[in-house]
Amino acid sequence: MLDKESFRGQIAAQLQELSDEDVRFFAWLCAVRVLPFLGSEGNFDFWESEVTDKVKQKHLYSVLKALDTAAIGEFGAFSEAYSASKAAIPKLFAAYAASSAASASEVVTALYNNSYTTAINAAAAAAYYAVFSITTLNSSYDLKSILLQDLFKIKSRNYDFYNNITDYGSVWDNFKIAMQNSGCEYWFNWYDNLFKKGFILTEDDRAEVNIRINIPGNSVSNGAAEIARHVVELNKLGAEHFNEIRILILGEKGSGKTSLALRLKDPTHPMPNDDDSTEGVDIINWQFDVPNSQINKGIIVHIWDFAGHVITHAVHRCFMTERCLYILVVNGRTEGDHRIEYWLDQIHNYGGESPILVLINTQDNHRIDIQENTLKKIFPSILSFNQINIGLGKDDLENFRQSVMQHLLNNPLWKNQKVSMPTYLVKEVLRKRFAEEGSEYIHRDEFNRIAQDNGVGSEEIGKLLEDLRDLGICLWYDDNDMQEYSTMVLNPSWISHGIYRLINWGLNEKKHVLCKSDFAKIFWGKDKDRYPEDKANFLFRLMRKYQLAFFKDDERVFIPLLLPADCPSDDLLPSFPFGDRLRMEYRADRSLPEYTVSRLSVLHSEELIEEKSWRFGAVLRWNNTDAIVTENDLTRSITVSVKGPEQMEYITRLRNTLNGIFDEYKSNKPELNIELLIPDELKEHPDKYLIAPTDVDCFMQPINHIMANASIGQMQYTGNASLPWIDLMKTMQGYGLFVMGNLVLGNYNDYSKNMNIGFTNCSINLQGDLNFLARQFSKLNDDTIADELNATASDLDEIEKAISANVGHNSHELNETVTSLRKRGLLGRLENLYNDLCNEDSELRKKTIKIKNGIETIQKLGAHYNEVAQWIGLPQIPSPLLGNSKK
């Protein structure tokens, strides 16, 4: 078996003699060499059979993108590849091959952050993962020797790398078949040529990689085959630089956003009046030339100046996208503005890793102290902090303006993004229609004619519309809800201005139900012709599409975020007493987007009780079952309580809705907690337990903890003196949940199958750690500890076999298996390991710390023990005893 630590250490030692660029190249080469093994069986079916082809395509592209970013040294993508490797867990070789690509990309990130040591470790990991993935297949391909030879050649500047494809045997042919069957023949040809060229990227190769990385978002979300189609189309039809980009300016009301937007375009523009507040979003077009460029046209910048009014934040998400430059404007008069993190969270949620410039408007020359380094660690896409008086700091403002221009000119979002020539030509026609001629929308038939006149075939028009939407040129709708409008293609500013105007008018009039008859009152003056009354229904339907409103009838729309901000009095709200309800809570470390409950109200509009609901709370009723959903900005939480005859079914529906909303976020998802259910016999005899209202919160437990204990029948500790331990079976049945590790599954067969897979992987990791450490102690002639470690690994192997034998059995039999393992004493040595790792004075800890990399070894051993422990009901080692454990 591959000696993980020895091999990693050998690689890391040699890497320390290389430059940053050479470390990056070696890590990339490791991942490229192992890539064919992903398709070694002639398919990519190592993902679960339930996973859709689209998801498989996304997983595959995550790996390929990680390789691309590592190839040219561009920051990012490794986290996506790690997600792909987790999805590939059912086949270990796939997981480790994907992890090799992830580690290669992580090298770039480490170097970007000036962390050479981290880069060395990631590059060594890439080599290990590559070799280990082949080891698990029992392949004769000697990748370990080849990689060591690669290192030697890189150090000696001899780039004649070994590239004999025939050594792969059937693996290479199967890789080709897998790629072709997945619509990814382009990718196979790319890597086939790369091997034949000895892994040397030409300038043309690098340019093509840049094109792939900077393809619009929707193509990326559709996966590897769609990326291939897009690149082939560019090569076939010709490509043109896409010379347009968006700047999105966000911040609180009165911070100076509009002043900045105007002065970015024209530094001499007079400052707006204090009462000139943006209602929703103003779009300013700014064009400047590209100096010393091969491109003979300037760059067109669309500056979106978003309103700061709190009520409009719910609408901002509809127009915030990735691949933009964000500028966050902070009011310098507000000392330590706590809202900075709120806005950065929102940008990250909907803008992903888009670059951010933070501008502190130092009005009255008052400079505020901001934790810049701390914020950059949390939000690495922040480019810079700038303290400027927008109104008076002429020189500082001009320097900032030039900085913005340089970011636009040098950022790959613009610099490397190309579109097909037909797309470019159609884009120019639409820009002229919308920006120069004042058109706001055209019907689909007219768009089809424009497309065909510019060389787009009828079968390609649908894809062209998607590309134009991703590029921010137009918005279009072809779902059933919009069919009667002949699928209009619209100017984005027409939609944004119209929706914001509707929201603001309703807020000012204190109306949360708008009628078609209100349309003429809302849009008057210069907006009267722009928004004729016959477009009312269209705008209302767009608001429903964006989950901002729902129809009460054909003439009226209900906008939940315009409900009163304050909740009704308690006597008007239904009660949900402890013991007779189901309750769950989503809690986040970072700010949640506001008005999540308003979106849920739209999605459950037929169940909403209007007179009892408010802006941050929804009271619902479904099949004689009541629910209340509330959001709390201070605690960053969403709470759901349900009671009634179908409470399990209803809380499941509400959980699915909220999960769907949270899945849109690019940031970490909030943690789900559920409230433990007390036994029926205690409910019948309340005198046997005393639980004060203030003690109820201790029954709200993280679902991953509950699942870990429930999977093996262990009771949950509440910490409450009256009822310290609760059997979890009633809780899991009450919420309709089956459990597996950190997943909630709908049926036991999935649970049992995935428990086997998950436990096997955790067991392999811990066995490897134990055997490695045993060898280290054998070398030190400490046979007592070595024998105990080997025996623990052997017991763990027996446990793994027993768990695997229960795939397909019911949960009761599986719990009996764990009980049997305990009776046989097979859990005893693991329990001893737990005690040794928790006791800093134990012989194991004291002696391990003295060996090379001893602290890291203890941390990793403890982390892998905890992974195993969660499956079989053993106690978890507290993280402070392990330090910063890295698996």
Side-chain angles (χ1 to χ4, degrees):
M1 186 174 179
L2 180 66
D3 188 334
K4 176 178 179 181
E5 293 304 321
S6 176
F7 180 64
R8 270 191 175 182
Q10 184 181 4
I11 294 293
Q14 296 190 52
L15 286 172
Q16 292 176 6
E17 303 175 27
L18 301 183
S19 66
D20 290 6
E21 183 67 18
D22 288 339
V23 170
R24 179 197 60 76
F25 176 78
F26 173 73
W28 170 75
L29 188 55
C30 293
V32 169
R33 285 195 182 280
V34 78
L35 178 65
F37 284 88
L38 276 177
S40 63
E41 297 184 3
N43 55 55
F44 298 115
D45 290 344
F46 41 78
W47 286 295
E48 291 296 331
S49 58
E50 293 82 1
V51 173
T52 64
D53 288 339
K54 183 175 180 179
V55 173
K56 291 179 182 179
Q57 285 282 339
K58 290 176 68 174
H59 288 330
L60 179 59
Y61 179 61
S62 294
V63 176
L64 297 171
K65 183 182 178 184
L67 287 174
D68 273 355
T69 57
I72 61 174
E74 181 172 306
F75 171 81
F78 70 90
S79 60
E80 297 178 17
Y82 276 127
S83 297
S85 70
K86 291 177 183 177
I89 284 293
K91 287 290 182 67
L92 279 177
F93 75 86
Y96 282 102
S99 294
S100 183
S103 296
S105 185
E106 190 175 7
V107 170
V108 180
T109 303
L111 296 175
Y112 179 87
N113 292 322
N114 298 316
S115 180
Y116 184 67
T117 301
T118 304
I120 293 289
N121 292 334
Y128 169 75
Y129 287 138
V131 175
F132 186 85
S133 63
I134 296 177
T135 303
T136 60
L137 290 175
N138 296 318
S139 171
S140 61
Y141 188 64
D142 189 9
L143 182 58
K144 180 178 178 181
S145 298
I146 292 173
L147 293 182
L148 291 173
Q149 187 182 72
D150 286 342
L151 261 179
F152 175 79
K153 290 194 171 185
I154 292 172
K155 286 193 291 185
S156 61
R157 294 292 183 265
N158 175 9
Y159 299 114
D160 181 22
F161 297 106
Y162 185 76
N163 63 335
N164 190 349
I165 292 175
T166 59
D167 282 0
Y168 282 91
S170 61
V171 168
W172 191 266
D173 295 332
N174 287 340
F175 176 52
K176 180 178 182 179
I177 293 170
M179 283 293 201
Q180 289 175 333
N181 290 343
S182 299
C184 296
E185 186 172 10
Y186 160 84
W187 288 103
F188 171 78
N189 292 335
W190 169 265
Y191 283 101
D192 184 56
N193 289 330
L194 194 59
F195 272 79
K196 290 175 180 176
K197 291 187 298 186
F199 312 103
I200 303 301
L201 290 172
T202 65
E203 286 303 313
D204 287 343
D205 292 334
R206 292 177 178 275
E208 187 152 334
V209 172
N210 268 312
I211 289 174
R212 292 202 296 255
I213 290 175
N214 291 285
I215 280 174
N218 195 59
S219 296
V220 171
S221 65
N222 285 333
E226 182 59 27
I227 293 294
R229 184 207 65 79
H230 197 107
V231 176
V232 169
E233 181 183 75
L234 292 181
N235 293 334
K236 176 183 176 181
L237 300 176
E240 181 59 84
H241 277 280
F242 180 71
N243 62 326
E244 300 190 26
I245 195 168
R246 285 202 305 161
I247 294 178
L248 276 59
I249 303 180
L250 297 165
E252 298 294 315
K253 179 182 179 182
S255 59
K257 299 184 303 300
T258 300
S259 302
L260 176 65
L262 294 170
R263 291 200 160 190
L264 279 177
K265 179 178 181 179
D266 178 8
T268 65
H269 195 286
M271 292 287 288
N273 298 323
D274 290 341
D275 55 354
D276 290 343
S277 180
T278 303
E279 284 194 356
V281 59
D282 289 336
I283 300 176
I284 299 171
N285 295 318
W286 170 31
Q287 183 170 354
F288 57 86
D289 294 331
V290 182
N292 303 319
S293 173
Q294 298 177 347
I295 306 170
N296 295 321
K297 53 182 176 292
I299 180 171
I300 300 171
V301 184
H302 305 288
I303 305 173
W304 286 49
D305 170 23
F306 284 85
H309 304 80
V310 175
I311 197 67
T312 62
H313 297 180
V315 190
H316 290 352
R317 66 172 174 81
C318 305
F319 307 105
M320 293 171 65
T321 61
E322 297 181 83
R323 311 179 69 80
C324 302
L325 173 64
Y326 284 84
I327 301 178
L328 172 59
V329 182
V330 178
N331 188 344
R333 290 174 177 165
T334 307
E335 183 72 34
D337 190 352
H338 70 283
R339 296 287 284 177
I340 294 178
E341 290 191 33
Y342 163 80
W343 284 108
L344 291 172
D345 280 324
Q346 306 320 305
I347 292 171
H348 185 50
N349 276 330
Y350 298 110
E353 300 301 326
S354 296
I356 305 169
L357 295 171
V358 180
L359 186 149
I360 297 92
N361 186 12
T362 56
Q363 304 170 68
D364 305 326
N365 292 320
H366 180 64
R367 305 178 74 86
I368 62 174
D369 188 19
I370 292 178
Q371 301 178 39
E372 296 183 7
N373 292 331
T374 300
L375 289 174
K376 281 185 176 181
K377 289 179 181 178
I378 300 173
F379 305 98
S381 54
I382 294 176
L383 301 176
S384 66
F385 289 85
N386 309 268
Q387 300 218 21
I388 299 169
N389 187 322
I390 297 174
L392 300 176
K394 180 178 179 182
D395 292 340
D396 289 342
L397 180 62
E398 181 57 27
N399 289 336
F400 179 77
R401 183 171 176 271
Q402 292 298 322
S403 176
V404 170
M405 294 170 69
Q406 287 304 312
H407 283 306
L408 295 177
L409 293 175
N410 296 326
N411 193 291
L413 290 175
W414 173 80
K415 187 175 182 180
N416 299 317
Q417 184 168 318
K418 291 186 177 182
V419 296
S420 69
M421 185 58 71
T423 298
Y424 181 81
L425 294 174
V426 173
K427 183 267 294 186
E428 285 294 292
V429 172
L430 291 180
R431 186 174 67 84
K432 184 177 180 181
R433 290 284 296 271
F434 290 157
E436 298 178 16
E437 298 178 6
S439 297
E440 305 288 8
Y441 38 80
I442 60 176
H443 289 276
R444 177 63 180 270
D445 291 342
E446 185 175 2
F447 175 83
N448 292 349
R449 180 186 58 77
I450 293 172
Q452 291 169 354
D453 288 348
N454 287 280
V456 181
S458 57
E459 70 284 357
E460 299 172 329
I461 288 178
K463 184 63 185 68
L464 172 61
L465 275 167
E466 292 181 4
D467 290 343
L468 291 171
R469 178 184 61 197
D470 293 334
L471 295 169
I473 302 304
C474 66
L475 298 175
W476 63 282
Y477 307 93
D478 65 348
D479 51 342
N480 293 333
D481 205 28
M482 299 295 182
Q483 284 300 319
E484 66 183 270
Y485 300 101
S486 301
T487 318
M488 286 192 290
V489 180
L490 303 102
N491 180 356
S493 68
W494 185 86
I495 295 177
S496 62
H497 181 77
I499 289 178
Y500 279 112
R501 177 60 66 87
L502 290 170
I503 297 293
N504 282 314
W505 186 87
L507 179 67
N508 292 332
E509 297 294 322
K510 297 184 179 180
K511 294 180 63 173
H512 59 269
V513 176
L514 303 186
C515 307
K516 289 183 181 179
S517 58
D518 293 325
F519 212 71
K521 306 173 190 174
I522 299 171
F523 298 102
W524 56 278
K526 63 180 182 180
D527 281 335
K528 183 176 181 180
D529 293 335
R530 192 180 187 193
Y531 297 93
E533 291 187 46
D534 62 357
K535 293 297 183 289
N537 205 46
F538 182 80
L539 267 181
F540 287 163
R541 291 198 182 191
L542 280 180
M543 292 182 71
R544 179 169 67 180
K545 185 177 181 65
Y546 286 126
Q547 298 174 6
L548 296 170
F550 60 87
F551 279 89
K552 286 185 70 69
D553 51 46
D554 291 340
E555 297 293 322
R556 299 179 301 159
V557 290
F558 186 109
I559 306 175
L561 64 92
L562 294 181
L563 282 165
D566 197 11
C567 65
S569 59
D570 289 343
D571 60 308
L572 294 177
L573 296 175
S575 63
F576 297 84
F578 176 74
D580 292 326
R581 69 189 180 198
L582 296 180
R583 186 166 175 254
M584 64 181 182
E585 179 185 74
Y586 290 88
R587 189 176 289 268
D589 293 332
R590 313 294 312 165
S591 299
L592 287 169
E594 293 179 328
Y595 305 112
T596 301
V597 169
S598 292
R599 292 183 66 183
L600 179 137
S601 297
V602 172
L603 296 170
H604 290 265
S605 58
E606 294 183 0
E607 304 145 31
L608 186 70
I609 301 177
E610 176 182 346
E611 62 274 11
K612 296 184 179 182
S613 299
W614 68 103
R615 196 174 299 172
F616 305 105
V619 177
L620 309 161
R621 187 169 181 79
W622 175 76
N623 288 358
N624 293 318
T625 301
D626 295 321
I628 187 168
V629 185
T630 59
E631 64 182 278
N632 188 319
D633 181 51
L634 294 177
T635 60
R636 296 167 176 155
S637 63
I638 305 286
T639 303
V640 181
S641 298
V642 180
K643 68 171 183 178
E646 297 188 43
Q647 58 186 22
M648 182 188 75
E649 293 82 358
Y650 201 15
I651 203 166
T652 300
R653 293 181 66 233
L654 295 172
R655 184 175 68 242
N656 290 338
T657 297
L658 288 168
N659 286 344
I661 293 174
F662 295 139
D663 283 344
E664 296 179 10
Y665 301 166
K666 305 294 191 302
S667 61
N668 292 331
K669 309 299 186 288
E671 181 183 57
L672 176 59
N673 302 270
I674 61 175
E675 187 174 76
L676 303 176
L677 299 182
I678 61 176
D680 288 336
E681 58 269 23
L682 292 183
K683 289 173 62 177
E684 295 170 1
H685 302 283
D687 55 301
K688 291 186 178 182
Y689 71 98
L690 298 173
I691 301 175
T694 54
D695 295 334
V696 168
D697 285 345
C698 66
F699 290 87
M700 184 68 74
Q701 298 288 333
I703 195 169
N704 59 329
H705 293 170
I706 295 174
M707 291 188 297
N709 291 329
S711 63
I712 46 81
Q714 180 149 316
M715 301 181 78
Q716 177 74 41
Y717 180 66
T718 69
N720 182 274
S722 300
L723 194 58
W725 293 94
I726 289 185
D727 189 313
L728 293 172
M729 186 58 67
K730 177 178 173 60
T731 295
M732 301 313 293
Q733 291 174 344
Y735 285 87
L737 300 175
F738 288 102
V739 296
M740 187 286 292
N742 62 350
L743 298 176
V744 179
L745 301 173
N747 63 76
Y748 182 75
N749 288 334
D750 285 343
Y751 153 64
S752 178
K753 175 179 63 177
N754 284 287
M755 178 176 178
N756 173 56
I757 293 166
F759 181 79
T760 297
N761 286 309
C762 296
S763 174
I764 288 173
N765 289 334
L766 183 55
Q767 287 179 58
D769 291 343
L770 292 167
N771 288 323
F772 163 75
L773 194 55
R775 285 194 296 273
Q776 302 305 306
F777 279 107
S778 292
K779 293 177 183 178
L780 298 172
N781 297 318
D782 194 333
D783 293 334
T784 300
I785 292 181
D787 290 346
E788 182 66 19
L789 291 169
N790 282 324
T792 304
S794 178
D795 283 356
L796 185 55
D797 188 54
E798 288 295 312
I799 294 169
E800 179 189 327
K801 291 177 182 177
I803 295 293
S804 298
N806 274 278
V807 175
H809 293 193
N810 62 44
S811 57
H812 177 69
E813 290 172 330
L814 193 56
N815 289 335
E816 285 189 342
T817 298
V818 176
T819 301
S820 173
L821 293 171
R822 186 176 295 280
K823 289 179 179 178
R824 291 165 56 191
L826 286 174
L827 300 186
R829 285 194 170 94
L830 283 175
E831 291 171 335
N832 292 337
L833 177 64
Y834 164 80
N835 292 327
D836 284 340
L837 291 173
C838 288
N839 182 5
E840 295 182 353
D841 294 325
S842 70
E843 290 296 305
L844 176 65
R845 276 192 71 115
K846 288 193 296 186
K847 291 183 177 181
T848 300
I849 288 175
K850 291 180 180 180
I851 68 176
K852 185 178 180 181
N853 298 322
I855 294 177
E856 291 83 358
T857 299
I858 285 290
Q859 291 174 345
K860 186 166 51 177
L861 183 66
H864 286 155
Y865 163 84
N866 280 346
E867 288 180 342
V868 167
Q870 70 171 334
W871 294 98
I872 52 179
L874 294 178
Q876 298 270 309
I877 301 170
S879 53
L881 291 176
L882 298 178
N884 250 338
S885 61
K886 292 184 179 180
K887 300 176 187 177

